[in-house]
Amino acid sequence: SQWGEENLQALSIQEGEDVTMNCSYKTYTTVVQWYRQKSGKGPAQLILIRSNEREKRSGRLRATLDTSSQSSSLSITGTLATDTAVYFCATATNYNQGKLIFGQGTKLSIKP
Amino acid sequence: EAAVTQSPRNKVAVTGGKVTLSCNQTNNHNNMYWYRQDTGHGLRLIHYSYGAGSTEKGDIPDGYKASRPSQENFSLILELATPSQTSVYFCASGDGWGGAGQLYFGEGSKLTVL
């Protein structure tokens, strides 16, 4: 597997709290993408961060990438009930012919 | 807005039957993908395509075939469906290389094989 065991998680927090989800990977990657999947829907991209970037922000979202420890994180500040979803990280390399490989995801539940 | 449409959205099939899942994209993306999603496994890549006429094996291709007759259409074919293929299947399109681009997903096709 490309992924560390800690990638399969479930988190439940109160609305308004901040949350950080982690993702570790075993093989070299050039890109990490974060996706969100709401119940009954397909995944939708949130952020793409490249191996030469340490951090990227988009609104309430912040992604980090540490290539030395082969890990990435996604933080959400001021969570809303609508942030309830499964969050996936996905990696790709120059060597896997364009394939994007997904981790198992983190199920995030926001209590109103 | 990028659009990927899957059909059927729900399908019940019998063991040994043939199932075809269809996907249409209006994004004019070169790359298209079929993933399956099962609890505890996340999204796993079955087949993908770089353009019309091409298909490539993903990580779990056994028991599946794929067909890309045009830029817009990509089908997943189960010639002899088995209960282990009961799952939710997602089609996606994208135009990046090496994961550099965003994938746009359809809403999924739920397949139950009895």
Side-chain angles (χ1 to χ4, degrees):
Chain A
S1 169
Q2 186 172 346
W3 303 99
E5 294 299 321
E6 66 271 27
N7 289 317
L8 178 62
Q9 294 184 69
L11 299 173
S12 182
I13 61 172
Q14 290 293 138
E15 190 172 28
E17 293 181 348
D18 300 342
V19 66
T20 296
M21 292 164 278
N22 297 301
C23 166
S24 63
Y25 51 91
K26 295 180 178 178
T27 58
Y28 169 76
T29 187
T30 54
V31 168
V32 173
Q33 299 192 37
W34 283 90
Y35 284 77
R36 177 175 65 190
Q37 184 179 26
K38 295 197 173 185
S39 180
K41 302 292 186 181
Q45 190 204 55
L46 297 174
I47 285 183
L48 183 154
I49 183 166
R50 302 184 188 281
S51 58
N52 62 351
E53 300 174 304
R54 292 188 60 82
E55 178 182 297
K56 183 169 272 189
R57 294 177 183 267
S58 176
R60 295 182 294 110
L61 307 177
R62 172 179 173 261
T64 67
L65 179 58
D66 184 341
T67 54
S68 64
S69 65
Q70 295 188 165
S71 64
S72 179
S73 70
L74 177 71
S75 299
I76 306 175
T77 57
T79 55
L80 304 171
T82 52
D83 292 325
T84 293
V86 179
Y87 291 79
F88 294 97
C89 60
T91 66
T93 77
N94 289 330
Y95 309 106
N96 66 1
Q97 299 178 306
K99 294 191 298 183
L100 195 62
I101 306 299
F102 285 77
Q104 294 183 37
T106 296
K107 185 176 182 179
L108 178 64
S109 299
I110 309 297
K111 294 175 285 187
Chain B
E1 180 75 21
V4 178
T5 305
Q6 295 181 226
S7 63
R9 295 291 313 280
N10 286 283
K11 172 77 176 178
V12 178
V14 296
T15 297
K18 182 177 181 178
V19 176
T20 300
L21 303 180
S22 299
C23 179
N24 176 273
Q25 56 111 351
T26 59
N27 312 317
N28 197 32
H29 288 158
N30 289 327
N31 302 335
M32 295 187 74
Y33 307 81
W34 276 105
Y35 289 86
R36 66 177 280 177
Q37 184 171 38
D38 305 285
T39 302
H41 289 281
L43 289 153
R44 293 184 289 175
L45 183 63
I46 307 170
H47 284 289
Y48 59 107
S49 168
Y50 296 126
S54 91
T55 60
E56 305 289 337
K57 293 180 179 180
D59 297 320
I60 54 164
D62 293 345
Y64 303 93
K65 290 172 55 177
S67 174
R68 182 88 181 269
S70 65
Q71 178 82 340
E72 297 80 17
N73 295 295
F74 190 38
S75 297
L76 185 69
I77 303 154
L78 291 66
E79 294 277 6
L80 294 170
T82 68
S84 64
Q85 294 175 312
T86 292
S87 186
V88 180
Y89 292 85
F90 287 95
C91 176
S93 73
D95 59 4
W97 178 260
Q102 179 176 347
L103 292 191
Y104 296 86
F105 283 84
E107 299 217 319
S109 295
K110 183 177 181 180
L111 173 65
T112 302
V113 183
L114 302 175

